Amino acid sequence: MSLVKTQQNYSAVRTFSVSAPPSSSSSSNSRCSQGVAPSDNATCGAPNWIGKGLTCVCFKRKGTYERICFHLTPIQEERLKRLKCRMKVFFDASRPDHQEALRALWSATYPDEELQGLISDQWKKMGWQGKDPSTDFRGAGFISLENLLFFAKTFSISFQHLLEKQGGKRAAWEYPFAVAGVNITFMIMQMLDLDASKPRKFVRGVFLQMLSENQWAFDLLYCVAFMIMDKQWVERNATYMEFNDVLKSTRAQLERELLMDEVLRIEDMPSYSLLC
């Protein structure tokens, strides 16, 4: 990585050199349809700008170090392919693995309460809009369920804290927990702009560096975002009608923290300390 001082505003420059490896075979794409995070050795099909000679992406931004240039390493390419694969999987209520993921989310959320069925009024207390949670995944797909499950299993105390709305003075009309989680996934997908054919955002480049350090960077960023969102909700004494405004300010804070010079991993973000 090289840092170059400049006074320019945001811009992006692509440098072409040695061709990257050819894209994955059709058998790799079949793994993509499974919707389950594979191992490091698995492939999920290449983004359309991989394998076309792009090896270096350069960005400029305001501040002291105004350009960052990095090469897409093989592990970055592989993990980016896998993440983009996850982002394209729609939730399918007829698939056994998707059904099992829903049951796993229930068990992680309410370990002492038996689930009566995948369609049940019980789901409403988790913050789904109705008794069938599958109808709420349309915006972000299966990855939003994976994010919720990752949060519940990795940071169970924080997850339960937010689920039960235990922090600070709460609003009379609270945000629905599970639906808020789906919206946060969608917000992060938009913020990182990972599905674009050309890199357009500096924060995307920073995230790719983090992804090379940790294959679960997206899921960790999701957990941080959820904590920021709830904290801002409480501080603003927000109401349900202000949810979109809180989500926008959450995105702004995420971008600020990701662009800090000392933040090289998700764990370096100041708001990561909110998790327990």
Side-chain angles (χ1 to χ4, degrees):
M1 178 186 300
S2 62
L3 298 174
V4 182
K5 187 174 182 180
T6 181
Q7 299 300 321
Q8 302 294 327
N9 292 331
Y10 286 94
S11 63
V13 179
R14 291 186 299 168
T15 302
F16 296 85
S17 56
V18 181
S19 296
S23 58
S24 302
S25 65
S26 58
S27 63
S28 297
N29 289 328
S30 67
R31 292 195 184 106
C32 186
S33 65
Q34 298 304 310
V36 179
S39 67
D40 273 352
N41 294 325
T43 57
C44 289
N48 57 15
W49 52 270
I50 289 180
K52 296 184 179 180
L54 176 62
T55 62
C56 183
V57 182
C58 301
F59 296 87
K60 296 178 183 178
R61 60 169 176 163
K62 296 178 180 179
T64 304
Y65 314 132
E66 302 314 338
R67 190 174 70 173
I68 180 172
C69 180
F70 65 91
H71 290 269
L72 290 175
T73 65
I75 194 169
Q76 283 177 325
E77 291 184 351
E78 187 58 49
R79 290 179 176 178
L80 178 59
K81 285 189 288 186
R82 182 188 314 147
L83 180 54
K84 292 182 70 174
C85 168
R86 290 175 63 196
M87 290 166 51
K88 293 178 180 178
V89 177
F90 294 102
F91 183 87
D92 185 349
S94 67
R95 285 178 52 166
D97 56 332
H98 288 199
Q99 295 173 5
E100 185 56 34
L102 263 183
R103 293 190 183 95
L105 176 63
W106 180 269
S107 297
T109 306
Y110 303 109
D112 300 323
E113 182 177 347
E114 182 179 356
L115 178 65
Q116 300 303 314
L118 294 180
I119 299 179
S120 168
D121 284 330
Q122 289 174 290
W123 290 105
K124 294 180 182 179
K125 75 173 185 176
M126 193 188 294
W128 300 103
Q129 295 185 82
K131 60 183 181 181
D132 183 3
S134 67
T135 62
D136 291 330
F137 290 116
R138 294 175 186 147
F142 184 66
I143 191 174
S144 58
L145 174 54
E146 291 181 310
N147 289 159
L148 278 167
L149 188 55
F150 179 90
F151 192 9
K153 290 188 171 184
T154 309
F155 302 101
S156 58
I157 295 176
S158 293
F159 182 87
Q160 291 292 332
H161 186 86
L162 268 57
L163 174 70
E164 301 298 333
K165 307 293 195 302
Q166 295 176 350
K169 180 181 178 182
R170 310 304 303 198
W173 296 94
E174 281 288 347
Y175 63 85
F177 176 78
V179 173
V182 174
N183 277 271
I184 290 171
T185 296
F186 186 70
M187 177 269 289
I188 296 174
M189 289 165 61
Q190 288 186 313
M191 180 185 75
L192 296 178
D193 198 30
L194 295 178
D195 208 32
S197 59
K198 297 179 181 180
R200 296 179 295 188
K201 296 182 179 180
F202 184 80
V203 71
R204 166 179 165 155
V206 171
F207 174 77
L208 287 179
Q209 289 288 348
M210 295 175 172
L211 190 62
S212 68
E213 296 292 331
N214 190 330
Q215 63 175 319
W216 302 111
F218 186 92
D219 303 81
L220 287 171
L221 184 61
Y222 170 87
C223 298
V224 174
F226 216 140
M227 296 302 295
I228 292 175
M229 190 278 293
D230 187 80
K231 185 173 183 289
Q232 292 198 7
W233 180 273
V234 172
E235 290 175 348
R236 295 171 56 153
N237 193 26
T239 64
Y240 183 75
M241 297 301 294
E242 297 175 279
F243 179 78
N244 286 336
D245 292 334
V246 174
L247 204 59
K248 289 178 182 177
S249 61
T250 298
R251 172 173 172 168
Q253 183 170 341
L254 281 176
E255 291 177 333
R256 285 195 300 271
E257 293 192 15
L258 286 170
L259 295 178
M260 290 179 176
D261 292 333
E262 65 273 18
V263 173
L264 303 177
R265 307 171 304 154
I266 301 297
E267 294 89 335
D268 297 330
M269 297 174 65
S271 292
Y272 184 85
S273 63
L274 296 173
L275 288 163
C276 56

